[in-house]
Amino acid sequence: MDLPHLNVLTKIDKIASYGPLPFELEFYTEVQDLPDIVPHLLEESPMMRHPKFEGLNNAVIDLVEDFGLVGFETLAVEDKKSMMTLLHSIDRAGGYAFGGAEGANNTVWQVAVRDGMRTMNVRDVQERWIDRKEEFDEMERKQLDEEAKAQETPALTDDAGEEDEESDVEEMRRHIPDSGIKVVRRP
């Protein structure tokens, strides 16, 4: 049985703590030009210099490049945009993108590649979590502080709050369709 799957690079928010990457993040997510990584692999792990691993590495590289079926999505769990982008990718892999009436007059391919499916690309992730992490973290802290200050505004008086509640209830009643059942409350 064929099942869709996604490869996900998690903990992208922690990637800067591992030191500089030999390549841009896009190299790892798009899985292109894999022979370029072999020297870095050999440098990182002396065990990989053994001749038997050279043949294995080259066979795996050839297999992945020949079929072009391997790619990765990124995920920073605490980042809403990152999570939403991954959810869109999951929906697309599972075929959910093709189920709505919004693309009823389009071909399957047009629905699959329409604009707006992705909200972040790998360059955005590179900029946010690797190149300018401290700057973005500071901006998010400021936004959270501003939101906290906005929530600390003085409360309305009780009278005004009751009037607002009553008007909200009346507005909700206007939007409820008539079911033909009448509810009578007795004192």
Side-chain angles (χ1 to χ4, degrees):
M1 174 168 33
D2 292 334
L3 295 174
H5 75 277
L6 249 66
N7 300 313
V8 181
L9 291 174
T10 60
K11 304 214 185 279
I12 287 296
D13 51 333
K14 306 290 184 201
I15 201 165
S17 65
Y18 292 108
L21 296 173
F23 302 99
E24 295 286 319
L25 188 60
E26 185 175 22
F27 176 85
Y28 301 99
T29 59
E30 300 298 323
V31 193
Q32 302 287 323
D33 303 322
L34 288 179
D36 295 346
I37 203 168
V38 173
H40 296 283
L41 183 63
L42 297 175
E43 182 182 310
E44 185 177 303
S45 177
M47 186 175 75
M48 291 296 189
R49 291 189 182 123
H50 194 279
K52 68 179 180 182
F53 287 112
E54 182 180 351
L56 177 64
N57 289 338
N58 290 331
V60 170
I61 287 171
D62 290 341
L63 178 69
V64 170
E65 284 190 331
D66 287 347
F67 291 99
L69 297 175
V70 178
F72 291 87
E73 295 293 329
T74 58
L75 175 64
V77 174
E78 295 180 7
D79 185 38
K80 185 177 180 178
K81 282 184 182 178
S82 176
M83 185 66 76
M84 293 304 296
T85 301
L86 181 61
L87 288 174
H88 282 289
S89 297
I90 292 168
D91 286 346
R92 218 167 119 184
Y96 182 73
F98 310 116
E102 61 199 39
N105 294 327
N106 296 332
T107 67
V108 171
W109 180 249
Q110 287 171 327
V111 173
V113 297
R114 71 176 171 243
D115 291 336
M117 277 306 278
R118 296 181 59 116
T119 55
M120 282 181 86
N121 65 30
V122 72
R123 288 180 200 94
D124 295 334
V125 174
Q126 171 92 26
E127 180 181 25
R128 166 60 182 100
W129 295 107
I130 298 172
D131 298 340
R132 297 174 48 201
K133 183 179 185 330
E134 292 80 19
E135 186 179 331
F136 275 91
D137 287 347
E138 184 61 30
M139 286 181 356
E140 285 180 2
R141 272 190 224 102
K142 286 179 182 177
Q143 284 178 337
L144 289 173
D145 289 344
E146 289 173 8
E147 288 174 11
K149 287 178 185 176
Q151 290 179 355
E152 292 174 1
T153 57
L156 299 172
T157 61
D158 289 341
D159 295 337
E162 288 175 14
E163 288 176 17
D164 285 343
E165 251 182 65
E166 288 177 16
S167 65
D168 289 345
V169 171
E170 289 300 319
E171 185 167 337
M172 284 192 308
R173 285 185 182 153
R174 278 187 257 141
H175 295 291
I176 298 174
D178 185 17
S179 64
I181 300 172
K182 188 169 188 170
V183 177
V184 179
R185 293 191 179 153
R186 297 183 185 175

